[in-house]
Amino acid sequence: MLFWRTHHLPQTLLSSTSKFSQTAHRNMTTITSSTTIPDDFTTHLRSSTRILALLGAGLSASSGLPTFRGAGGLWRSNDATSLATPEAFHANPSLVWQFYSYRRHQALKAQPNAAHYALAELARRRPEFLTISQNVDGLSQRAGHVRGRGGLELLHGSLFEVRCTGFECDFVNEEDFRDPIAEALRLEDDGRDISSADVPLREVGIEELPHCPKCGENLLRPG
C-alpha cells in the first residue's frame, strides 16, 4: 500500500497526461515540496494497488486560503472551536451562522489549485484510491473530487454541509455552495473583517437565518 501524506502534489503526477495537465496548469499555484520525491514516484504510483493520501491545511494554503482562527484561536472574542459545537448553536444560532458564513465566504473566494485537480483525476482513474482530508473548505469537492464510495473522506466534515435541526426532518445537503446562504448573512468585501471584535456585528434575527427547504419550519444548521 502506498501511503502518501501531502501538502503539495508532486509535479510528476501533475504532468502524467497532457489533457489533464492543461486543466491543472490553468488552475495552478506555485507547487513546491519539502519532501524529496523519488525519480520513480510515478512508476511506483502506477504499480500500487492501494493508495491512501492524507491531506492537511497546507494544501489549502497553496490556494491562498487563510486559517479561520485569529490570534490565540479566537474568532472575535470567542473560542473558534467552541463555536463549532451543537451547544453553541443552541445558545446563539445567529452568532454561529455568522461565524460559519464568514468561513464559507473566505473558502469560496479561494480556488482549487493544481493539487486538488490532480487528486480528483487520480480518484477518477483509480477506484481503489482513497483520500482522507482534514480540510473543511470544500476545495477538493469543487475540483470534482467525489465524496464517499471509497473516494474522498472528510475527517472534520465540510463548511458546506447543512442539515435541518428538526427531529423528524431528514433534510441534508452535503454541497450547499450558496454565498450567502441567507441574504441577512451576506458579507461585503469592503475591507472590514468581522472576525475582529473591533468590527461591529449586525443583529440577525432567527427569522432571517437559513431555514429548511423541505419542512419549511426549522432552522438549517452547519453539518
Side-chain angles (χ1 to χ4, degrees), residues 55-189:
L55 314 184
L59 189 65
S60 301
S62 295
S63 289
L65 186 62
T67 175
F68 70 85
R69 294 183 177 88
L74 299 179
W75 190 81
R76 301 183 67 82
S77 58
N78 304 280
D79 177 72
T81 56
S82 295
L83 286 175
T85 63
E87 294 78 13
F89 187 84
H90 179 74
N92 193 338
S94 177
L95 177 64
V96 170
W97 261 121
Q98 290 187 78
F99 169 61
Y100 271 87
S101 292
Y102 171 81
R103 296 173 64 191
R104 288 164 58 99
H105 184 67
Q106 295 299 318
L108 287 171
K109 288 197 299 182
Q111 298 300 317
N113 61 56
H116 293 107
Y117 286 101
L119 289 163
E121 178 69 10
L122 185 58
R124 281 190 288 270
R125 296 183 180 205
R126 304 291 293 272
E128 73 281 7
F129 176 50
L130 174 62
T131 302
I132 299 177
S133 178
Q134 302 173 77
N135 301 330
V136 298
D137 50 48
L139 290 172
S140 291
Q141 299 94 299
R142 289 166 58 198
H145 205 151
V146 179
R147 290 180 62 177
R149 295 179 296 179
L152 175 67
E153 300 293 340
L154 304 177
L155 284 180
H156 306 302
S158 168
L159 293 174
F160 302 97
E161 180 175 315
V162 295
R163 297 174 178 266
C164 181
T165 56
F167 181 75
E168 297 182 352
C169 184
D170 60 358
F171 177 79
V172 179
N173 185 346
E174 293 186 342
E175 296 187 354
D176 188 328
F177 291 110
R178 289 177 293 163
D179 186 32
I181 192 170
E183 186 58 35
L185 298 172
R186 180 179 298 278
L187 293 173
E188 303 295 340
D189 293 318

